[in-house]
Amino acid sequence: METRENQGSVGIERPVSGGSYGATTWVILLLCGFLIAADLGKFNLHGREMYIYEQAGVVYYVGITEPATEDLEVISQWLKLPVVNFLYDGPAQYRDSLEEKLNELGVLFGVGDVLYVSIKTSHELAHYEVSYKEIRKSDTTDISRLIDHLTNIFVELFPPVEKPKTGFLVEIGDQIDVKKASTNKPVEFRYKEKIYSVTVKGRKLLLSEGFYEFFGKTIYVDRDMDIDEPVFFVEDAAMVYKIKDNFAIYKFGRLSFPDGRSFYVEEPFDIVNETILKKLITVKVDNTPITTPIIGRYDQYLLLANGMISPIDLSWTMKICGPIVDWTVNKDRLYVLDIFCYVKAIDLKNRKILWEKRLLGAWGIGSNKDLIYVGSNNQLIALNENGQVVSNQDCYDFGTWKEGIITLKSPQDGYVIRSHIGFAVMKGSQAVLYIDEPRSFENVIKIKFFDWGAVIVTQTGCWVVER
């Protein structure tokens, strides 16, 4: 028997019926004492003409070619089984179980003698009625024993018969395959699982067709696709955290992870390698526990409001300055400005303060290329990496990003939220974000920067912008 034929792509499962049958030939089956005049027809299966043999509402054969001798033998075995017209009147949850029991007994569903089953329930009791040919049976029993009672009746109605070990399995995908296989009825149709290549920010995934969450959005995968969106919106979210190649969403007090886990928790400061960092942490200084807010994270280091740094695992702490006002990173050096107007350069790898410089009136710090910029009074002072002043200019506020430095001249220009990866200019509830390119947002409540990008919190949810 031919088993394979090319055919078009199939998207979702559809009823196989719906094509027209056309008589093509008569086949005489004389096998195992059965004499069968089979009216062989044709139908269209997703653009492919197929042969079909149907009797009493039961499909006994589907193939790309007319049935061969071994196919006729399989058909004749299935023709020995009883065919009933199953009429069911009762709660929907019992129907599948009853059909499964009848199938186990070798009963086929089609146009045959009527098998009527009625079930009425009330609390813990069930009343059933079974009618088949001249036989009528009814009784009331506990609901827990209902299926057992009906199974016993089915066994009486349908004497044991050997079910055929094989039938015809029609697998539908990019190609149609018809093969003999273990089936519950003469012919079964099955749509092959479709696998698509989905590239998510350069990482290739092989996914079956269906809905998936990417970057806080639900996407239906039904073709090969490339998903690489640096900006997206998460409705109703209060904050969004990146976890490897996906995101955790915080909304309505619940933190939801990409794998489906979720729980109620206070809004975290950050999530690193699925470790939740609280906004307040406790560290030990000279064996004395001190609770302090986290004000920043760079790579595996935390910056604490009290002027300390620590790795994420809190295995050590280092006092680097007074309470921190602002900070930035340049070439893996940490630069901090504290409340006492000291600018300090720290070698994180060696845990060493390289230099410090006091600039009275200092209020902000940033970096670009080889220079460190410090806002002081109404001036913007540029320092080299050794802490020496190289220039200054008038400035009300400023921000640095990969394209250089932008200064504001007056309060009417708004104010700047700085970070080590870029900055944002806020004017009322409007924000212009500078990371990879200028992006404008409306109805902004707050902005939070991470190593990987920024989250712009609005009245209706969060915009997520990746670097």
Side-chain angles (χ1 to χ4, degrees):
M1 179 181 70
E2 185 180 1
T3 61
R4 187 179 292 271
E5 181 71 21
N6 291 331
Q7 70 107 41
S9 177
V10 178
I12 60 174
E13 184 171 350
R14 303 179 177 86
V16 173
S17 61
S20 59
Y21 295 172
T24 58
T25 186
W26 289 82
V27 180
I28 302 299
L29 284 66
L30 184 55
L31 295 169
C32 306
F34 263 70
L35 178 62
I36 306 162
D39 186 4
L40 203 60
K42 288 183 177 181
F43 77 110
N44 189 288
L45 179 58
H46 298 314
R48 176 66 179 129
E49 191 175 69
M50 306 287 291
Y51 288 91
I52 184 171
Y53 171 60
E54 178 264 345
Q55 180 175 297
V58 178
V59 176
Y60 289 95
Y61 174 79
V62 166
I64 296 168
T65 64
E66 295 183 4
T69 302
E70 61 269 23
D71 302 327
L72 299 178
E73 183 174 354
V74 173
I75 295 171
S76 69
Q77 293 172 0
W78 284 101
L79 283 166
K80 297 177 183 178
L81 302 186
V83 177
V84 302
N85 186 358
F86 184 50
L87 300 182
Y88 175 74
D89 178 22
Q93 65 263 34
Y94 299 119
R95 182 177 191 121
D96 287 346
S97 296
L98 296 179
E99 289 184 351
E100 182 180 347
K101 296 297 182 182
L102 289 167
N103 184 269
E104 291 174 359
L105 293 171
V107 177
L108 302 178
F109 301 108
V111 181
D113 294 324
V114 172
L115 171 62
Y116 173 74
V117 176
S118 172
I119 297 175
K120 307 296 182 185
T121 61
S122 176
H123 303 295
E124 301 298 323
L125 296 177
H127 180 82
Y128 63 83
E129 179 183 347
V130 178
S131 173
Y132 181 65
K133 296 183 178 179
E134 297 82 14
I135 301 173
R136 305 283 189 276
K137 289 183 178 289
S138 63
D139 200 356
T140 300
T141 183
D142 292 338
I143 284 183
S144 61
R145 301 180 60 192
L146 173 64
I147 299 299
D148 290 338
H149 275 237
L150 292 173
T151 300
N152 291 334
I153 293 174
F154 292 162
V155 171
E156 294 178 19
L157 297 177
F158 305 101
V161 60
E162 184 178 357
K163 285 185 63 176
K165 292 183 173 58
T166 60
F168 301 100
L169 177 61
V170 183
E171 293 185 322
I172 306 167
D174 291 333
Q175 298 173 321
I176 294 178
D177 293 324
V178 182
K179 60 185 179 182
K180 295 186 185 69
S182 176
T183 57
N184 288 320
K185 51 188 178 181
V187 176
E188 289 186 4
F189 294 87
R190 182 180 303 164
Y191 281 85
K192 295 179 181 178
E193 183 179 51
K194 288 184 153 302
I195 303 298
Y196 298 100
S197 174
V198 179
T199 302
V200 182
K201 288 197 168 294
R203 189 165 68 97
K204 187 174 182 179
L205 305 174
L206 297 177
L207 302 176
S208 58
E209 184 173 343
F211 287 102
Y212 294 88
E213 290 283 337
F214 296 109
F215 311 130
K217 295 195 303 184
T218 301
I219 296 176
Y220 190 78
V221 173
D222 60 353
R223 64 188 184 279
D224 295 341
M225 58 179 63
D226 189 352
I227 300 173
D228 188 14
E229 298 189 38
V231 181
F232 59 92
F233 185 75
V234 184
E235 190 174 1
D236 294 329
M239 187 51 61
V240 179
Y241 306 90
K242 187 170 185 179
I243 302 177
K244 296 181 180 179
D245 294 321
N246 216 318
F247 292 86
I249 311 299
Y250 185 75
K251 64 169 67 173
F252 306 124
R254 179 185 288 272
L255 182 63
S256 300
F257 286 84
D259 61 7
R261 292 178 296 134
S262 66
F263 44 84
Y264 287 100
V265 65
E266 290 186 5
E267 182 179 322
F269 176 81
D270 201 351
I271 301 177
V272 183
N273 298 326
E274 298 196 7
T275 298
I276 297 176
L277 300 179
K278 296 181 178 180
K279 293 182 178 180
L280 286 174
I281 63 170
T282 300
V283 296
K284 284 190 175 181
V285 179
D286 298 329
N287 291 322
T288 300
I290 297 176
T291 299
T292 180
I294 302 174
I295 64 165
R297 179 177 77 86
Y298 170 66
D299 195 18
Q300 296 299 308
Y301 299 95
L302 301 178
L303 281 77
L304 309 182
N306 64 356
M308 303 178 72
I309 59 173
S310 170
I312 291 173
D313 63 7
L314 306 181
S315 58
W316 56 264
T317 58
M318 176 182 174
K319 182 72 173 178
I320 58 172
C321 61
I324 297 174
V325 173
D326 204 356
W327 65 278
T328 190
V329 174
N330 189 294
K331 297 180 180 178
D332 285 332
R333 282 187 182 182
L334 173 67
Y335 295 89
V336 294
L337 170 65
D338 71 10
I339 197 173
F340 303 113
C341 300
Y342 280 98
V343 176
K344 298 191 179 186
I346 295 96
D347 179 348
L348 290 171
K349 182 178 180 181
N350 296 304
R351 301 189 215 171
K352 182 179 179 181
I353 298 176
L354 301 176
W355 55 260
E356 66 178 47
K357 189 176 189 71
R358 194 177 191 192
L359 297 171
L360 294 177
W363 43 260
I365 191 169
S367 65
N368 180 254
K369 297 182 179 178
D370 295 327
L371 296 179
I372 310 303
Y373 293 91
V374 181
S376 177
N377 295 315
N378 292 321
Q379 294 285 305
L380 181 62
I381 302 171
L383 309 175
N384 63 22
E385 57 186 15
N386 296 318
Q388 299 168 327
V389 176
V390 296
S391 69
N392 63 72
Q393 60 178 299
D394 292 339
C395 174
Y396 168 73
D397 208 343
F398 77 99
T400 58
W401 66 313
K402 68 183 185 66
E403 297 297 331
I405 183 168
I406 293 178
T407 60
L408 306 185
K409 300 303 181 182
S410 70
Q412 286 72 35
D413 295 333
Y415 65 92
V416 174
I417 302 172
R418 278 173 294 277
S419 81
H420 62 297
I421 67 165
F423 69 99
V425 177
M426 290 291 302
K427 194 172 182 180
S429 62
Q430 297 177 327
V432 180
L433 182 70
Y434 296 83
I435 296 180
D436 56 343
E437 62 181 75
R439 301 177 187 274
S440 299
F441 300 91
E442 303 285 341
N443 302 316
V444 177
I445 298 173
K446 68 177 181 178
I447 298 176
K448 184 176 179 66
F449 288 93
F450 299 88
D451 279 354
W452 52 264
V455 176
I456 297 87
V457 183
T458 73
Q459 297 173 357
T460 56
C462 291
W463 285 100
V464 180
V465 181
E466 294 187 85
R467 296 173 68 180

